[in-house]
Every structure is written in structure tokens, then in C-alpha cells.
Amino acid sequence: MQRPTPTTTERTFAENEIIVSKTDLKGRLLYVNDVFCHVGLYDEADVLGQQHSIVRHPDMPRSVFHLLWQRIQSGREIFAYVKNMAKNGDYYWVLAHVTPSHDLQGNIDGYHSNRRLPGRTALNAIAPLYRQILAEEERHADRKQGMHAGVALLEKILDDRGLSYDEFVLGLASQS
């Protein structure tokens, strides 16, 4: 599926709506709810079996996804602000809660994500931070080095504020 060109049009959804998806261990979509399809302008058949990154917006720092994958692959949950892209290139922000799913033996067999509409106060804080991290990533010719530089910058910013990643994200969520 060809990636759309990003637009400057923001899509939104109701505060009481939740975007839900489930993936396998490699991030391939196994389930999406109607809100996922409606907001992203996809038919279910468009996305099932596709990588969840189908909705990744190029404004998102790779280092945020690196942190997300590290966390969920280790069996822990994570909350993260994510800028996604709809099928037509429009964007939409979410506050994602991603958790590992387990089989009957307790092994991680996939991932589950619920996404809510984030508040404007949180987005006003997160958007410039993500631009700063993305700029750091893009300063490096090697993508892997850029991603690690972005992680280091995020960690330094949080250290300077005396906050863990979770304290930072959940603090923004409580302000909204």
C-alpha cells in the first residue's frame, strides 16, 4: 500500500470514543475497531495483516517508537502521545495505552492498544518536544544513530525536569 503525502488537515474523534487495535509480535494488525477505521479512513480489509506502522506519521520521532517497543517487549505497558496519519494523509493525535497480550502459558503473544483523544494542553507541550527530538534524529546521516541520539535527547530533557517518562506523559494527561 502506497504511503499518502501528509496534509495539514487534522482529524479528530469524540472524547468518549476509543481507537482499539491488536497486533501480533511483529506489529501486524490482527484486529481494529470501527473507530480505528473511521478516524483513519480505512476499511478493515485495508489494514488487517498490515504493519501497524501503516498509520505512522512522518512527524513522529523514531525514538518514541523505540522506547515503546522496548517497553512492551519487556512485558510492561506504556502510555505515549502519538501523531498518526489517515489513509488520505490527514493527521490525528492520540494518547495511546499499549500493553502486551499473553497466551495461556503467560508468554507475550501480541500487543493491544487503546487510544483516546488527548487534550490540547498536552499536545501544546508534546508537539514542540517531538519536533525537537525529530530534528535531532534527522541531524544524523545514519538512521540508527539518529534514533539513539533522539532517545538520548529525550532522556536528557526528562532528567533536566527531574521526571521519568511515565511521570511526564501521565502528568500531561492529567492537565488535559
Side-chain angles (χ1 to χ4, degrees):
M1 183 176 286
Q2 187 177 350
R3 300 278 300 162
T5 301
T7 73
T8 57
T9 303
E10 183 174 10
R11 296 186 56 75
T12 191
F13 53 103
E15 248 182 69
N16 66 341
E17 290 183 301
I18 300 174
I19 297 173
V20 179
S21 61
K22 183 167 175 56
T23 69
D24 66 12
L25 292 172
K26 299 215 184 270
R28 286 184 298 261
L29 289 161
L30 303 173
Y31 169 80
V32 295
N33 71 345
D34 291 342
V35 182
F36 181 107
C37 293
H38 172 73
V39 175
L41 301 173
Y42 285 103
D43 291 323
E44 185 180 63
D46 290 337
V47 295
L48 292 183
Q50 298 291 323
Q51 288 292 319
H52 198 291
S53 60
I54 194 171
V55 297
R56 181 170 181 248
H57 197 284
D59 287 350
M60 276 300 298
R62 291 178 62 240
S63 51
V64 173
F65 291 113
H66 178 76
L67 174 64
L68 184 146
W69 277 102
Q70 276 188 321
R71 183 78 67 95
I72 62 176
Q73 287 176 332
S74 72
R76 299 172 20 222
E77 70 181 348
I78 189 167
F79 289 85
Y81 289 93
V82 179
K83 186 176 185 180
N84 286 330
M85 187 164 56
K87 186 177 180 179
N88 70 347
D90 293 350
Y91 71 93
Y92 58 99
W93 282 97
V94 298
L95 174 56
H97 177 216
V98 187
T99 61
S101 301
H102 298 86
D103 64 19
L104 294 176
Q105 291 74 40
N107 301 310
I108 297 173
D109 66 356
Y111 305 103
H112 181 267
S113 180
N114 292 322
R115 273 112 44 222
R116 295 190 172 274
L117 184 68
R120 281 290 146 196
T121 302
L123 295 181
N124 289 340
I126 208 75
L129 174 65
Y130 281 6
R131 284 192 296 274
Q132 183 182 2
I133 295 168
L134 188 62
E136 177 62 27
E137 289 179 1
E138 292 173 345
R139 277 186 345 94
H140 301 267
D142 179 89
R143 287 174 46 89
K144 189 173 184 178
Q145 285 179 340
M147 189 218 19
H148 288 297
V151 169
L153 177 59
L154 176 59
E155 289 171 350
K156 180 186 181 325
I157 290 167
L158 294 174
D159 283 347
D160 289 350
R161 295 180 185 188
L163 296 171
S164 70
Y165 175 83
D166 293 327
E167 289 170 331
F168 173 68
V169 171
L170 295 175
L172 288 176
S174 69
Q175 295 174 13
S176 299

